[in-house]
């Protein structure tokens, strides 16, 4: 079965800390890798990565993909309590299940004041 | 305006009942999806559908069936509900071939 593995599963930090969330995936039919943030309700889109080595940035969040080693990281600098959420990594494949996202189990981030 | 909406937000029902969850998107997307998120927050694809094909995740029981009256709607029908069906169900949409999927707010289904 195609898998996306995220680590750590949960993380507790204090405001101002920098965190790195990890996501590894299987190479089969890989098309792109996406990061989502889920607070209480629906996942909201953060980044989509298709090429190795190109960092995507949005404010204090950034992400990069390594297609050789089959992983991606999501960095959050100067964390705030509002960053507390579950961060989901998802892989999108080419082929028969076009559009279907294969999600990891998420990393639950708790940022304490 | 809500991009992807679902109704109801909460659904509590007895085992054995048949229920439906509705999903509508006003983004002009042509592909829609249903996901199930279990108590451990694991999101798993159930269906993807556009006007050409329905792709079913083989692990989904045939008690679950998507119905699309038009491009903007993809409803989820569930027959003979079981305790294990309790979860949050998310609808999503995207452009065909598009990577970013927009999610609805979710429907929390509780089967008693």
């Amino acid at each position: 079965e195609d898998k996306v593995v995220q680590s750590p599963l949960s993380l507790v930090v204090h405001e101002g800390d920098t965190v790195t969330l990890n996501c590894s995936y299987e190479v089969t039919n890989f098309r792109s890798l996406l990061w989502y943030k889920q607070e209480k309700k629906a996942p909201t889109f953060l980044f989509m990565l298709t090429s190795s080595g190109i960092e995507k940035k949005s404010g204090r969040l950034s992400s990069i993909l390594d297609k050789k080693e089959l992983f991606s990281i999501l960095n959050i600098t100067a964390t705030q309590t509002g960053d507390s959420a579950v961060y989901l990594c998802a892989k999108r494949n080419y082929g028969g299940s076009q559009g279907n996202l294969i999600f990891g189990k998420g990393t639950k981030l708790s940022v304490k004041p | 305006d809500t991009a992807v909406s679902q109704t109801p937000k909460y659904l509590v029902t007895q085992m054995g009942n048949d229920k439906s969850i509705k999903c509508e998107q006003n983004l002009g997307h042509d592909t829609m999806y249903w996901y199930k998120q279990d108590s451990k927050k694991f999101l798993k694809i159930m269906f993807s559908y556009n006007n050409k094909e329905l792709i079913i995740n083989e692990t989904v029981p045939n008690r679950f069936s998507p119905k699309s009256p038009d491009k903007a709607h993809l409803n989820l029908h569930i027959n003979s509900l079981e305790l294990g069906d309790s979860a949050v169900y998310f609808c999503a949409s995207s452009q065909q071939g598009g990577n970013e999927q927009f999610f609805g707010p979710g429907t929390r289904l509780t089967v008693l």
Side-chain angles (χ1 to χ4, degrees):
Chain A
E1 188 183 342
D2 210 348
K3 278 187 183 175
V4 174
V5 179
Q6 292 186 244
S7 63
L9 290 179
S10 67
L11 191 54
V12 180
V13 300
H14 287 95
E15 273 194 315
D17 288 349
T18 293
V19 296
T20 299
L21 310 183
N22 303 292
C23 175
S24 62
Y25 61 92
E26 295 187 1
V27 70
T28 312
N29 290 326
F30 175 83
R31 177 171 180 165
S32 57
L33 192 122
L34 292 85
W35 284 96
Y36 283 82
K37 177 182 181 181
Q38 185 176 24
E39 297 175 83
K40 299 220 170 168
K41 292 189 176 179
T44 53
F45 175 79
L46 294 175
F47 298 110
M48 183 188 77
L49 303 154
T50 53
S51 301
S52 277
I54 299 174
E55 187 183 45
K56 295 276 183 100
K57 286 198 79 166
S58 175
R60 295 176 296 100
L61 277 66
S62 63
S63 184
I64 198 160
L65 175 69
D66 185 327
K67 289 172 77 173
K68 184 179 174 187
E69 300 296 331
L70 308 179
F71 76 90
S72 174
I73 59 171
L74 175 68
N75 276 323
I76 310 175
T77 58
T79 51
Q80 302 171 358
T81 54
D83 295 327
S84 297
V86 174
Y87 290 84
L88 297 165
C89 173
K91 176 192 173 195
R92 185 179 170 207
N93 289 340
Y94 286 106
S97 300
Q98 285 190 25
N100 293 0
L101 295 177
I102 302 161
F103 281 89
K105 295 191 176 183
T107 294
K108 183 177 181 180
L109 175 65
S110 301
V111 182
K112 295 190 176 299
Chain B
D1 282 343
T2 304
V4 182
S5 60
Q6 295 178 229
T7 54
K9 287 187 180 175
Y10 301 95
L11 183 54
V12 181
T13 189
Q14 300 281 343
M15 273 176 58
N17 284 348
D18 302 337
K19 290 292 177 186
S20 294
I21 306 171
K22 294 186 177 181
C23 178
E24 177 182 0
Q25 54 94 6
N26 62 6
L27 297 166
H29 289 162
D30 45 26
T31 305
M32 296 182 73
Y33 312 84
W34 278 103
Y35 289 85
K36 178 180 179 181
Q37 187 170 47
D38 61 25
S39 57
K40 294 183 180 176
K41 298 288 187 181
F42 188 31
L43 257 176
K44 197 162 185 182
I45 185 73
M46 298 178 73
F47 305 101
S48 67
Y49 181 80
N50 62 30
N51 58 1
K52 294 175 186 169
E53 64 178 335
L54 170 67
I55 298 174
I56 302 172
N57 184 324
E58 60 196 17
T59 66
V60 175
N62 58 14
R63 298 181 295 103
F64 290 78
S65 57
K67 298 268 188 330
S68 180
D70 56 59
K71 210 170 93 162
H73 296 83
L74 184 67
N75 303 325
L76 182 64
H77 296 272
I78 317 170
N79 294 326
S80 303
L81 278 156
E82 299 178 358
L83 293 177
D85 297 333
S86 296
V88 180
Y89 292 84
F90 285 98
C91 177
S93 73
S94 72
Q95 290 288 10
Q96 187 174 4
N99 283 288
E100 182 178 353
Q101 293 183 13
F102 293 82
F103 283 78
T107 295
R108 181 175 293 278
L109 171 65
T110 303
V111 182
L112 302 174

